[in-house]
Amino acid sequence: MGKLLIVGTVAFDEIETPFGKTDKILGGAATFIGLSASQFDVASAIVSVVGDDLPQEYLDLLENKNIDISGIEVVKGGKTFYWKGKYHNDLNSRDTLATELNTLADFNPIVPENFKNAEIVMLGNLHPSIQMGVINQMSERPKLIILDTMNFWMDNALDELLEVIKKIDVLTINDEEARQLTNEYSLVKAAKEIQKMGPKYVVIKKGEHGALLFHKENVFFAPALPLEEVFDPTGAGDTFAGGFSGYLATTNNISFENLKKAVIHGSNLASFCVERFGTERMQDLKREDVSKRLHQFKMLTQFDIELK
Ligand code: AMP
C-alpha cells in the first residue's frame, strides 16, 4: 500500500448555486482530496490547520475514512479558514465573495514522522510557502509531487508560487488559471509554458468539459461524464486531484500510461462530488458505485474506427 501525503485547507465553505445556498459547511481542498483518495487502498495523511470552532465531527469524519489527521493542527481560540463562493447560471464560473485565511495566515506545517517518506505528495490548494515547507520536510525525494493551486495565490503570492512550481512534477490547474499563469490563451501553449517552469506533466481541468494531460509532445483528454444532476461544483477540482493522486499511490506507477488512467479515475470521482452540496456526496460514496460509473466512463469514450 502506497503512502499519500495531502496538504491543503480544511475549511468552512458557504456556497450559493442556482439551486440553493448553504450555511457554513465542511469544505477545503484537503478535505475533498482526502475523501476522494479514500476510495483507494492507500495510507493517507492530511497536513493542515483549523481553529477550535471546527466541529469535532468533521475531523472524526476524516479519521473514520482512515485518514491520519495527526498533521491537522487545531489552534485553540483560532478561526478556521473560511471561503464563500457564488456560481453563475452555467455553473462553470464562480465569484469568490470572501476568503478569510484566519489560522492559515501563520501556519507552520509539520509533516507526521511516518509520512516523511511518502511516495506521492499531493500539495492541495493553500499558501505556496506552506506547500514549500512540506516539500522541505520530506526525508527523501517523493516519487511524484503534484501541486494544485488557484487564482487567489497567483494574485497574492506569485513569487512563492513560481518557486514551488519549480520543484514539482505535476501541476493541476483549471483552464482560466492556466491562462492567467502564462498569459497564453491557447491551453496547448499554456501547458508548454508551464512545463518550462518545472513540472514534467500538466493537467488542465475544464470543468464539465473534461481534463487534459500534457507531457512533452503528448496530450491525453478525458471527458467529464455528462450528468443529469449537477448541484454544486465546489471541490470538483480537489476531488479530481484526490482520485488522481490516490490512484497513483495505490498503483505505485508513475508512467505516462498510468497517469492517463489516474486522470480517468480523477474525473470519475469528480463526477460524484458535484451531485450534492459540499462534501455530502463524497461522505458515504460506495466503492461499488464508483466502479459502476467507471464502466459508464469506459463506454462513453470507447469507439471503433477504421484507421488507414
Ligand atoms: P475547487 O472547487 O476544487 O476549486 O475547490 C473549492 C475548495 O477550495 C473549497 O472547499 C474552499 O474551501 C477551498 N478554497 C477556496 N479558496 C481557497 C484558497 N485561496 N486557498 C485554499 N483553499 C481554498
Side-chain angles (χ1 to χ4, degrees):
M1 186 160 38
K3 280 189 194 175
L4 172 67
L5 179 66
I6 300 165
V7 187
T9 43
V10 172
F12 278 126
D13 284 353
E14 211 177 313
I15 304 159
E16 188 173 338
T17 81
F19 307 107
K21 43 170 136 179
T22 68
D23 293 328
K24 281 186 176 180
I25 57 172
L26 171 64
T31 308
F32 284 104
I33 295 169
L35 290 175
S36 180
S38 73
Q39 291 294 328
F40 300 96
D41 294 322
V42 289
S44 62
I46 291 180
V47 171
S48 192
V49 63
V50 294
D52 57 7
D53 55 346
L54 192 86
Q56 182 61 36
E57 58 177 282
Y58 289 169
L59 296 175
D60 294 345
L61 169 78
L62 296 172
E63 204 166 25
N64 290 339
K65 298 281 177 191
N66 281 326
I67 302 168
D68 183 327
I69 58 164
S70 62
I72 303 183
E73 187 188 336
V74 182
V75 178
K76 273 219 170 101
K79 280 177 79 183
T80 299
F81 176 91
Y82 165 74
W83 176 77
K84 183 173 182 181
K86 181 176 174 177
Y87 288 84
H88 301 164
N89 276 344
D90 66 357
L91 289 178
N92 264 335
S93 50
R94 70 182 177 203
D95 294 326
T96 287
L97 302 180
T99 302
E100 290 174 13
L101 298 180
N102 298 328
T103 47
L104 192 73
D106 36 30
F107 171 50
N108 281 320
I110 298 179
V111 177
E113 212 45 56
N114 53 336
F115 276 85
K116 287 191 172 164
N117 62 354
E119 292 89 0
I120 309 283
V121 174
M122 179 64 238
L123 301 171
N125 194 11
L126 43 46
H127 198 299
S129 62
I130 299 175
Q131 294 173 319
M132 186 70 107
V134 165
I135 294 180
N136 289 339
Q137 285 174 54
M138 301 307 286
S139 56
E140 49 201 89
R141 173 65 165 82
K143 266 188 151 176
L144 201 74
I145 305 179
I146 308 157
L147 183 142
D148 189 69
T149 190
M150 71 186 274
N151 51 0
F152 182 87
W153 301 112
M154 292 175 206
D155 296 337
N156 293 295
L158 184 61
D159 290 346
E160 289 106 313
L161 181 61
L162 292 174
E163 273 311 301
V164 69
I165 285 178
K166 280 187 199 158
K167 306 243 171 200
I168 60 159
D169 304 297
V170 187
L171 181 71
T172 68
I173 190 167
N174 79 23
D175 42 4
E176 278 319 304
E177 290 155 357
R179 291 183 173 119
Q180 179 174 345
L181 187 62
T182 60
N183 286 319
E184 290 287 358
Y185 184 81
S186 150
L187 295 178
V188 177
K189 284 188 182 161
K192 280 196 178 141
E193 282 308 307
I194 293 170
Q195 288 178 76
K196 286 186 203 154
M197 296 174 184
K200 297 185 278 296
Y201 301 94
V202 181
V203 177
I204 300 186
K205 300 167 285 178
K206 287 154 56 71
E208 65 170 330
H209 304 298
L212 292 157
L213 168 67
F214 294 89
H215 174 54
K216 296 184 181 158
E217 295 306 315
N218 301 312
V219 192
F220 173 71
F221 172 67
L225 203 71
L227 295 170
E228 259 181 62
E229 284 185 315
V230 179
F231 271 100
D232 170 22
T234 306
D238 306 313
T239 303
F240 173 92
F244 182 82
S245 55
Y247 176 75
L248 292 173
T250 194
T251 51
N252 210 1
N253 169 351
I254 55 163
S255 65
F256 183 63
E257 284 310 307
N258 208 45
L259 260 70
K260 285 184 183 175
K261 292 184 192 162
V263 169
I264 300 288
H265 282 282
S267 305
N268 190 45
L269 282 158
S271 77
F272 289 99
C273 173
V274 301
E275 288 180 337
R276 300 274 181 282
F277 274 105
T279 57
E280 203 184 323
R281 185 69 175 102
M282 299 309 290
Q283 284 186 23
D284 54 7
L285 182 59
K286 306 270 176 303
R287 288 196 182 189
E288 62 203 67
D289 293 332
V290 177
S291 134
K292 234 190 246 166
R293 195 166 279 185
L294 203 53
H295 282 87
Q296 277 176 270
F297 228 103
K298 197 165 178 192
M299 295 298 291
L300 176 75
T301 50
Q302 239 176 13
F303 53 86
D304 249 332
I305 194 165
E306 265 181 50
L307 293 174
K308 294 197 177 133

